[in-house]
């Protein structure tokens, strides 16, 4: 196809290596970006492409719609002028350890500079990470009852706004590393990914020479509070909450779970730690409804509240498993990668009760000091079901663990009470 042609003249249904492909080499775990090589997932059909999948993850589908509708030139390449990171991050030693980072491209935010020559020569290389600055407006910081954080003019403004550095990261999977992290082999992983995405990515099974995959899933946003150098300074404190997406609570304030209150508590702790000379970190993962999705989550809500005996903590996990087939599909094994990318080696205050998250982080060699549960007065009434069930199931708590008898007496609101 001509570089100026807007459309391909034919569709390639399979992509077995023919000898015509000359993918740009990738040496995962190399200590230098140029030695590692760029991630090339151009949709233009170039034989230089070295990655399965498409840029922009799940948003690549919207790109396809825009092209089909005629509103986007299929050969458009982004102009990266002035898009460089707003602050310097890395490199850190973890970037050159192929076992530490397997689900992100550690050099993904530096594409516009380190591969400027290749981009100018026509190679379609795009960032998978972006770093910017922002101010957050968190209503709870202004309206919380009791002791409030005092503005300092640097982290927390007199207006109640919070200064942060924020980072968006798109998943970039190194398949051999992903397989090793989950205790399987690359062949079986590729086949499972191929079959359970309806054969969406044939190269998973036809191109064993391509070891990097850009999956069509949601990414990660990291919010950094205070001096980012404190993140890697063992003499200064680091507070961290790893939070999995819950649109209903995080955005709209639904009271059936503790997600937003716990997230806000994590933000408050991050601000306080930053104000004391340390750093705060919020990692926000797009894993809606325990990675089951909102449709499944809402079905579970109905099943919980319509079951005989009503919505009780005693059957909290059971109803999820009945609908979804599994209690939780988040699999936190890949979650520590963003911490490695930020150079984290220890977390002084971990704002989480999840043992899955704790075990995944410490299993990757990151030390955790204090574990901070959600304060009891922040738990919404209808979320008592969730919280009591989690405590009884083994979630971290320094307080009372409900008995089976107590779980049967913890009830949520009925559907006709809304």
């Amino acid at each position: 196809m001509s570089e100026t042609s807007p459309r391909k003249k034919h569709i390639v249904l399979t992509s077995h290596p023919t000898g015509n492909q000359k993918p740009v080499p990738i040496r995962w775990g190399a200590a230098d970006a140029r030695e590692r090589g760029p991630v090339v997932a151009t949709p233009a059909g170039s034989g230089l492409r070295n990655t399965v999948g498409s840029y922009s993850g799940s948003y690549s589908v919207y790109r396809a719609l825009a092209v089909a509708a005629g509103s986007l030139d299929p050969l458009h390449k982004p102009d990266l002028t002035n898009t460089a990171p707003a602050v310097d991050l890395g490199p850190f030693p973890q970037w050159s350890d192929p076992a530490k980072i397997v689900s992100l491209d550690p050099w993904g935010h530096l594409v516009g500079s380190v591969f400027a020559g290749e981009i100018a020569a026509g190679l379609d290389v795009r960032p998978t990470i972006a770093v910017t600055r922002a101010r957050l407006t968190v209503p709870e910081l202004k309206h919380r009852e009791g002791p409030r954080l005092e503005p300092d003019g640097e982290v927390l403004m007199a207006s109640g706004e919070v200064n942060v550095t924020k980072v968006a990261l798109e998943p970039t999977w190194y398949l051999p590393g992903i397989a090793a992290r989950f205790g399987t082999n690359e062949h079986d992983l590729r086949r499972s990914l191929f079959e359970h995405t309806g054969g969406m990515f044939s190269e998973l099974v036809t191109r064993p020479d391509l070891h990097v995959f850009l999956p069509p899933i949601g990414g990660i946003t990291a919010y950094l509070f205070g001096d980012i150098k404190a993140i890697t300074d063992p003499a200064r404190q680091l507070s961290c909450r790893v939070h999995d997406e819950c649109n209903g609570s995080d955005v709209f304030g639904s009271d059936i779970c503790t997600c937003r209150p716990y997230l806000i508590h994590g933000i408050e702790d991050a601000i306080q730690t930053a104000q004391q000379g340390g750093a705060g970190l919020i990692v926000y993962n797009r894993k809606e409804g325990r990675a089951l999705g909102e449709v499944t989550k809402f079905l579970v809500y109905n099943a919980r509240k319509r079951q005989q005996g009503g919505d009780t903590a005693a059957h909290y996990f059971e109803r999820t498993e009945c609908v979804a087939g599994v209690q939780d599909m988040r699999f936190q094994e890949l979650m520590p990668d963003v911490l490695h990318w930020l150079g984290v080696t220890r977390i002084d205050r971990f704002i989480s009760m999840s043992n899955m998250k704790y075990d995944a982080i410490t299993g990757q060699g990151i030390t955790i000091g204090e574990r901070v549960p959600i304060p009891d007065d922040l738990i919404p009434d209808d979320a008592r079901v969730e919280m009591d069930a989690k405590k009884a199931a083994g979630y971290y708590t320094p307080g009372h663990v409900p008995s089976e008898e107590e779980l049967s007496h913890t009830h949520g609101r009925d559907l006709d009470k809304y």
Side-chain angles (χ1 to χ4, degrees):
M1 182 184 77
S2 167
E3 285 295 318
T4 59
S5 173
R7 304 264 182 192
K8 292 182 179 180
K9 297 184 183 299
H10 63 280
I11 296 174
V12 179
L13 295 178
T14 59
S15 54
H16 289 278
T18 63
N20 295 324
Q21 293 94 347
K22 295 181 180 179
V24 176
I26 290 183
R27 299 175 182 85
W28 199 266
D32 175 81
R34 297 193 60 78
E35 180 186 354
R36 202 290 308 274
V39 171
V40 184
T42 174
S46 169
L48 299 175
R49 186 162 60 90
N50 58 17
T51 301
V52 180
S54 305
Y55 292 120
S56 302
S58 59
Y59 294 98
S60 62
V61 176
Y62 291 103
R63 176 189 172 91
L65 286 174
V67 171
S71 60
L72 175 65
D73 181 349
L75 297 180
H76 170 76
K77 295 178 183 178
D79 178 356
L80 299 179
T81 303
N82 292 330
T83 63
V87 300
D88 293 331
L89 283 169
F92 300 109
Q94 295 93 321
W95 293 17
S96 56
D97 185 340
K100 293 290 188 185
I101 300 178
V102 300
S103 63
L104 305 170
D105 174 8
W107 307 99
H109 58 312
L110 301 175
V111 163
S113 57
V114 296
F115 299 118
E118 287 83 351
I119 293 172
L123 188 63
D124 188 5
V125 188
R126 305 185 188 185
T128 56
I129 300 175
V131 184
T132 189
R133 296 297 308 275
R135 287 191 181 181
L136 307 182
T137 299
V138 182
E140 286 88 339
L141 295 180
K142 299 180 180 180
H143 306 299
R144 173 85 75 215
E145 294 183 2
R148 299 182 185 178
L149 296 170
E150 292 294 329
D152 61 286
E154 293 184 8
V155 180
L156 181 60
M157 303 292 103
S159 63
E161 295 173 309
V162 187
N163 271 336
V164 296
T165 297
K166 61 180 182 179
V167 186
L169 306 99
E170 292 176 356
T172 304
W173 287 8
Y174 178 58
L175 293 173
I178 297 287
R181 192 74 65 86
F182 282 93
T184 186
N185 61 71
E186 186 181 351
H187 175 272
D188 289 347
L189 172 65
R190 285 173 172 269
R191 177 165 182 165
S192 184
L193 289 169
F194 171 73
E195 291 178 342
H196 291 278
T197 56
M200 185 183 297
F201 301 100
S202 61
E203 289 169 317
L204 286 168
V205 292
T206 64
R207 292 294 302 276
D209 58 319
L210 304 183
H211 296 287
V212 177
F213 175 43
L214 299 182
I217 60 175
I220 302 167
T221 309
Y223 294 85
L224 286 55
F225 300 74
D227 183 0
I228 60 175
K229 293 180 181 178
I231 294 175
T232 55
D233 185 348
R236 294 194 273 179
Q237 294 279 299
L238 174 64
S239 169
C240 174
R241 172 158 179 80
V242 176
H243 189 92
D244 292 332
E245 177 183 28
C246 178
N247 182 67
S249 179
D250 295 343
V251 179
F252 294 100
S254 172
D255 70 345
I256 197 172
C257 64
T258 60
C259 294
R260 181 177 176 88
Y262 214 170
L263 174 61
I264 299 304
H265 184 59
I267 291 173
E268 291 175 336
D269 203 277
I271 294 170
Q272 189 171 45
T273 304
Q275 288 180 326
Q276 294 170 350
L281 171 62
I282 302 292
V283 176
Y284 194 90
N285 295 291
R286 295 316 192 285
K287 298 178 182 178
E288 176 64 63
R290 301 183 196 156
L292 299 169
E294 269 197 320
V295 169
T296 296
K297 183 166 71 173
F298 290 5
L299 293 174
V300 170
Y301 289 166
N302 286 344
R304 280 172 48 189
K305 293 182 177 297
R306 284 177 173 145
Q307 67 186 323
Q308 186 175 1
D311 184 15
T312 69
H315 300 290
Y316 173 79
F317 288 107
E318 177 185 332
R319 297 314 303 156
T320 300
E321 193 165 358
C322 287
V323 175
V326 64
Q327 292 182 5
D328 196 319
M329 212 153 62
R330 284 175 289 184
F331 301 111
Q332 301 292 351
E333 283 84 350
L334 303 179
M335 175 268 292
D337 284 23
V338 65
L339 302 178
H340 287 315
W341 182 75
L342 289 166
V344 173
T345 57
R346 96 282 170 228
I347 296 170
D348 298 289
R349 288 174 57 80
F350 186 49
I351 319 299
S352 175
M353 298 169 69
S354 169
N355 287 338
M356 288 177 63
K357 293 175 183 176
Y358 177 87
D359 292 342
I361 291 171
T362 57
Q364 280 289 304
I366 297 173
T367 302
I368 290 179
E370 182 182 3
R371 300 175 70 179
V372 181
I374 184 172
D376 193 65
D377 63 338
L378 295 185
I379 301 173
D381 288 342
D382 205 37
R384 294 283 171 181
V385 169
E386 172 201 52
M387 188 50 58
D388 282 3
K390 286 182 174 180
K391 288 179 180 179
Y395 275 58
Y396 169 77
T397 176
H400 175 67
V401 177
S403 66
E404 290 188 18
E405 174 66 19
E406 289 172 316
L407 291 180
S408 66
H409 293 296
T410 304
H411 283 260
R413 188 187 301 116
D414 291 335
L415 281 177
D416 61 0
K417 301 298 183 183
Y418 286 85

